[in-house]
Amino acid sequence: MASVVEYKGLKAGYHCGYCDSEGKASRGMWAHSMTVQDYQDLIDRGWRRSGKYVYKPVMNETCCPQYTIRCRPLQFQPSKSHKKVLKKMLKFLAKGEISRGNCEDEPMEPPMEDAVAGDAALINKLDIQCDLKKLGDNLKDSLEREEKKGKSAKKEESSGLIQSQDKRAKLGSGEPAHSVAVPVAPKPGKGADLSKPPCRKAKEIRKERKRLKLMQQNAAGEHAGLQAPRGPPPSFPPKAKSNQPKALEDLIFESLPEDASHKLEVRLVPVSFEDPEFKSSFSQSLSLYVKYQMAIHQDSPDECGKTEFTRFLCSSPLEAENPPNGPDCGYGSFHQQYWLDGKIIAVGVIDILPYCVSSVYLYYDPDYSFLSLGVYSALREIAFTKQLHEKTPQLSYYYMGFYIHSCPKMRYKGHYRPSDLLCPETYVWVPIEQCLPALESSKYCRFNQDPGAVDEGRSTEPDRVQVFYRRAVLPYGVYRKQRRDAGEEADVLQYASLVGQACSERMLLFRS
């Protein structure tokens, strides 16, 4: 079945919940029905759905530009804060332990140590092979000098970048160009004392101190001080392998004792009133939604009733598909229900599309805020994407909605690394690390640094737009000759430019 959409045009000057102004601007369309491939192509052009309404922010006009963000689960490594959330859940399930130290659902401003999201590959690159004697003699002196300086030491902007980049990586490939910062000595003639080591940041010092300690522990047979062994540097004993970061799945599905205090079950339920599981759990799911909206978003009962819940989270334009080469659950819209001891405590609304799992919304029981269910569910959805990838190799991304850099409380989405932002002009994916410097100086940015690059999927033949008119499907070129309405032509051309050539030829644009 083809997608059928009704273009609604510009909506501007309405309230923005991020900055509390009236400067929001977007263009939208009502999707009577939509194929999963069409929606995949639309979100790869900056569109997003809310129920059956599909909208695209006017990026260079809206008060808070919303950039589509995707995480790459196949390379994802949980950060320290992510691991704490997973351990907190395991302790609660195993022993009923409740940690109320931080009940915030998402870490709004995580420590700088978590900024690389636990990227073990980055740490491995920093672990340069060194001669043990040289490291022992020079590093000890260096650390002592740095510690004496303490907080009064002036930070030097004298670090260089060693870039290790896959030659095949291109700007739109989604593969990042990894950059690793290493200290570089000051150039002669600049007043630098070359007899002293270059200044280093405290984080680097801690890393080197830790590495030094490991080498001291493993330099078997040597004297107390680090001395150069004869022959190649000793390899770490087999137990060092346990220091490798655990996979996300291992952290989530760590075994629980037989007498565990609680039981958590995650169920994937299709969004369809014809599905018995969805239908039987609807009342409980609705009650949870109302409780969440009133407690977390301070909605009134009139703003979060059955009608709003159904329209927002249970009505989807996506047509369910079950192709033989797709995931076992098929494509479409789903509720991922978190059942704790027989009751629903959270629901993640997701779309499963040809190339990704797309997060739509999450609502949870505020009584369980201490479990950081926002973070926990995101990690479960990342793991779920990896699981689907095993059967369907092209399904390998996790879309987190919009990243809004101008709103600090929404920056947490950038902490799930590695991740990419969508260029709002050329619609290629750019690693978030390359985008952040530009976003610090301007709310709206073109991330593609190639000035000659254009939108490759742009509308080039508007006459080929498919129009649904009086129960007939015809190209816009034929329809236009029948109607001859200049105002309508402007709308159709705008619609075509926003959805791109491919979607404009597949989707049916309803005209009355």
Side-chain angles (χ1 to χ4, degrees):
M1 183 177 178
S3 302
V4 180
V5 299
E6 195 170 349
Y7 185 60
K8 297 295 184 181
L10 177 67
K11 184 181 179 184
Y14 63 105
H15 182 73
C16 173
Y18 301 114
C19 67
D20 202 29
S21 75
E22 306 300 318
K24 208 167 185 180
S26 66
R27 293 186 172 92
M29 56 189 175
W30 186 262
H32 295 276
S33 67
M34 184 166 286
T35 67
V36 290
Q37 184 61 58
D38 284 340
Y39 187 54
Q40 175 73 67
D41 290 350
L42 286 175
I43 63 174
D44 283 336
R45 292 183 64 82
W47 291 80
R48 196 83 187 151
R49 79 173 184 89
S50 175
K52 289 191 172 185
Y53 185 71
V54 188
Y55 64 99
K56 186 181 191 303
V58 184
M59 298 291 282
N60 58 349
E61 295 179 17
T62 192
C63 54
C64 297
Q66 299 158 269
Y67 299 93
T68 302
I69 182 171
R70 74 177 187 185
C71 172
R72 280 176 265 144
L74 304 187
Q75 294 86 36
F76 176 78
Q77 284 291 338
S79 67
K80 288 181 181 178
S81 59
H82 295 154
K83 290 176 182 176
K84 284 180 182 178
V85 169
L86 296 175
K87 288 177 182 176
K88 182 166 54 177
M89 175 63 82
L90 288 170
K91 286 181 180 179
F92 173 73
L93 296 176
K95 303 177 183 178
E97 289 185 15
I98 296 176
S99 172
R100 296 188 180 274
N102 181 6
C103 292
E104 287 188 12
D105 184 46
E106 287 282 4
M108 300 307 175
E109 294 293 342
M112 286 304 294
E113 287 183 354
D114 286 349
V116 293
D119 189 353
L122 179 61
I123 297 172
N124 289 339
K125 285 189 178 72
L126 285 170
D127 195 6
I128 303 166
Q129 293 294 326
C130 300
D131 179 275
L132 289 179
K133 179 174 174 57
K134 182 179 178 181
L135 181 66
D137 293 341
N138 296 340
L139 183 57
K140 273 186 175 179
D141 293 341
S142 172
L143 292 177
E144 287 174 3
R145 288 195 187 98
E146 295 290 347
E147 286 182 338
K148 285 178 182 178
K149 291 179 182 178
K151 294 183 180 179
S152 62
K154 185 177 180 181
K155 292 182 180 179
E156 297 287 341
E157 294 289 335
S158 58
S159 60
L161 287 178
I162 294 179
Q163 296 189 349
S164 173
Q165 183 174 0
D166 187 338
K167 293 181 181 178
R168 294 171 298 176
K170 295 182 180 179
L171 186 57
S173 68
E175 294 301 319
H178 297 290
S179 299
V180 183
V182 294
V184 176
K187 293 182 180 179
K190 299 291 183 180
D193 185 351
L194 298 181
S195 66
K196 295 181 180 180
C199 294
R200 288 187 299 279
K201 294 181 179 178
K203 184 178 177 182
E204 294 176 43
I205 297 171
R206 288 196 300 273
K207 285 181 180 178
E208 293 183 0
R209 189 186 295 116
K210 185 176 180 181
R211 188 159 61 245
L212 175 59
K213 186 177 179 181
L214 282 171
M215 289 179 176
Q216 286 175 328
Q217 291 172 350
N218 289 286
E222 296 297 328
H223 296 294
L226 279 179
Q227 297 180 12
R230 299 175 187 233
S235 59
F236 290 131
K239 69 176 183 179
K241 290 183 180 178
S242 63
N243 292 330
Q244 294 298 317
K246 279 188 177 181
L248 176 62
E249 296 86 341
D250 294 336
L251 293 167
I252 291 175
F253 301 111
E254 194 169 307
S255 59
L256 294 170
E258 291 183 6
D259 60 344
S261 299
H262 301 284
K263 179 184 177 182
L264 178 68
E265 182 185 359
V266 180
R267 302 178 190 172
L268 186 69
V269 182
V271 177
S272 169
F273 285 99
E274 296 178 3
D275 183 83
E277 269 196 273
F278 181 81
K279 197 171 180 179
S280 64
S281 61
F282 179 83
S283 178
Q284 190 180 163
S285 189
L286 167 61
S287 298
L288 178 64
Y289 169 77
V290 172
K291 184 178 182 180
Y292 170 81
Q293 292 295 127
M294 292 179 67
I296 304 299
H297 295 290
Q298 287 77 50
D299 283 1
S300 67
D302 294 338
E303 294 175 306
C304 57
K306 181 178 179 180
T307 301
E308 289 73 23
F309 174 65
T310 304
R311 183 172 57 213
F312 178 35
L313 298 175
C314 302
S315 294
S316 170
L318 301 185
E319 300 291 333
E321 297 180 25
N322 287 276
N325 61 341
D328 293 336
C329 59
Y331 298 119
S333 298
F334 298 83
H335 280 189
Q336 204 162 38
Q337 301 173 340
Y338 294 77
W339 290 77
L340 181 70
D341 302 332
K343 76 169 185 176
I344 304 176
I345 64 164
V347 177
V349 184
I350 61 174
D351 293 329
I352 300 179
L353 304 174
Y355 307 132
C356 74
V357 169
S358 175
S359 176
V360 178
Y361 198 68
L362 173 82
Y363 54 100
Y364 59 85
D365 190 334
D367 294 344
Y368 293 89
S369 292
F370 62 88
L371 290 175
S372 301
L373 291 169
V375 179
Y376 182 77
S377 64
L379 296 172
R380 288 292 299 242
E381 288 170 7
I382 290 172
F384 179 55
T385 305
K386 293 178 71 175
Q387 179 188 334
L388 296 179
H389 171 79
E390 292 178 6
K391 167 79 188 303
T392 311
Q394 72 270 19
L395 202 165
S396 55
Y397 296 102
Y398 174 59
Y399 285 45
M400 296 176 282
F402 288 132
Y403 175 80
I404 307 166
H405 192 77
S406 57
C407 179
K409 71 178 182 180
M410 294 301 292
R411 293 184 186 179
Y412 70 87
K413 293 183 181 183
H415 302 149
Y416 295 83
R417 303 280 183 95
S419 57
D420 311 301
L421 297 183
L422 186 68
C423 176
E425 295 183 11
T426 61
Y427 303 114
V428 296
W429 294 98
V430 181
I432 192 170
E433 297 88 349
Q434 297 179 20
C435 305
L436 295 180
L439 287 172
E440 285 295 324
S441 57
S442 175
K443 288 196 296 185
Y444 173 74
C445 299
R446 170 193 167 110
F447 300 135
N448 192 331
Q449 295 301 303
D450 179 1
V454 296
D455 169 17
E456 297 292 342
R458 66 191 181 282
S459 173
T460 55
E461 299 179 83
D463 279 356
R464 294 173 64 88
V465 171
Q466 294 298 293
V467 174
F468 186 49
Y469 177 61
R470 291 184 178 177
R471 298 185 180 181
V473 177
L474 62 161
Y476 177 66
V478 175
Y479 171 83
R480 179 166 50 89
K481 292 175 182 177
Q482 297 177 7
R483 299 280 289 184
R484 296 184 183 278
D485 185 335
E488 187 176 39
E489 182 172 4
D491 276 352
V492 174
L493 293 178
Q494 187 179 77
Y495 157 82
S497 69
L498 295 172
V499 303
Q501 187 68 35
C503 280
S504 72
E505 290 189 42
R506 289 197 308 258
M507 300 193 306
L508 304 183
L509 177 63
F510 177 80
R511 309 307 289 174
S512 57

